Amino acid sequence: AQVAARLLEGTSGYLQTDGYGAYDEVAERYKLTHCGCMAHARRRFFEAIKALPKSEQKAATAAHEGVRRIDALYEIEREAKGLSDAERATLRQQKAVPQLDALHEWASVLQQQTLPSGKLGEALAYLLKQWPKLIRYVQDGRLAIDTNGVENAIRPFALGRRNWLFADTVKGAKA
């Protein structure tokens, strides 16, 4: 977060991140609009599915419903591909906002009936805590629904960092 803070000096606009709390302070300090990552919220519901007994992992559970509802938002994003920023924002207002409202209502009600210590409770808590940041993408057609594009772009460097860990010299790296 400290490196990100130095890079953000003098910038303005949006900061899109996962739910790591340190980014809240960075966004506030530099007066950036903080946007969330729907893929991270979705991943929590997948973790809840994996935590189920094998016999229930294929059944229609609340965790499956969470994934289904978030997948519907991604379907709208696929529909918006190729549109201008203004057209994308309009489509999101028409289609995604009602879906988001329904998702929020569903999650709020379900959270009251779910143990907070379980994986489903954790997924719901994450979704609702991050909610203001998760829905910001509908306000501006330039924003992405998630950070997947950035994460895919930096993946080779993250993998390389681990692979190059013990390469002290160029000769050692080639070997």
Side-chain angles (χ1 to χ4, degrees), residues 35-104:
C35 304
C37 174
M38 194 63 76
H40 281 84
R42 184 175 180 263
R43 191 172 303 142
R44 301 288 178 114
F45 287 99
F46 274 118
E47 291 170 3
I49 292 169
K50 286 180 186 175
L52 292 169
K54 288 279 185 197
S55 61
E56 294 179 38
Q57 287 183 2
K58 301 275 186 199
T61 66
H64 288 89
E65 179 64 13
V67 170
R68 187 195 66 75
R69 287 173 181 260
I70 294 171
D71 283 349
L73 296 168
Y74 277 92
E75 183 59 37
I76 295 165
E77 290 304 297
R78 284 188 286 279
E79 187 180 334
K81 196 171 187 160
L83 297 179
S84 71
D85 294 340
E87 292 168 329
R88 185 176 302 109
T90 300
L91 179 68
R92 287 173 175 171
Q93 289 298 313
Q94 292 170 350
K95 292 189 173 185
V97 168
Q99 297 263 355
L100 286 163
D101 290 343
L103 174 61
H104 188 266

Side-chain angles (χ1 to χ4, degrees), residues 6-67:
R6 286 194 303 270
L7 293 172
L8 295 172
E9 193 72 47
T11 62
S12 64
Y14 297 97
L15 175 66
Q16 188 168 28
T17 69
D18 60 18
Y20 181 54
Y23 294 123
D24 291 332
E25 182 184 322
V26 171
E28 188 175 323
R29 178 185 301 158
Y30 295 101
K31 310 277 189 277
L32 301 170
T33 303
H34 197 178
C35 304
C37 174
M38 194 63 76
H40 281 84
R42 184 175 180 263
R43 191 172 303 142
R44 301 288 178 114
F45 287 99
F46 274 118
E47 291 170 3
I49 292 169
K50 286 180 186 175
L52 292 169
K54 288 279 185 197
S55 61
E56 294 179 38
Q57 287 183 2
K58 301 275 186 199
T61 66
H64 288 89
E65 179 64 13
V67 170

Side-chain angles (χ1 to χ4, degrees), residues 109-121:
V109 169
L110 187 59
Q111 187 181 40
Q112 301 303 313
Q113 306 163 4
T114 305
L115 290 174
S117 58
K119 288 293 185 183
L120 179 60

Side-chain angles (χ1 to χ4, degrees), residues 105-140:
E105 176 67 24
W106 171 82
S108 297
V109 169
L110 187 59
Q111 187 181 40
Q112 301 303 313
Q113 306 163 4
T114 305
L115 290 174
S117 58
K119 288 293 185 183
L120 179 60
E122 290 174 8
L124 292 166
Y126 181 89
L127 179 75
L128 294 171
K129 182 178 180 195
Q130 296 295 315
W131 192 255
K133 292 178 250 179
L134 290 173
I135 63 172
R136 287 210 175 101
Y137 82 98
V138 298
Q139 298 169 354
D140 189 329

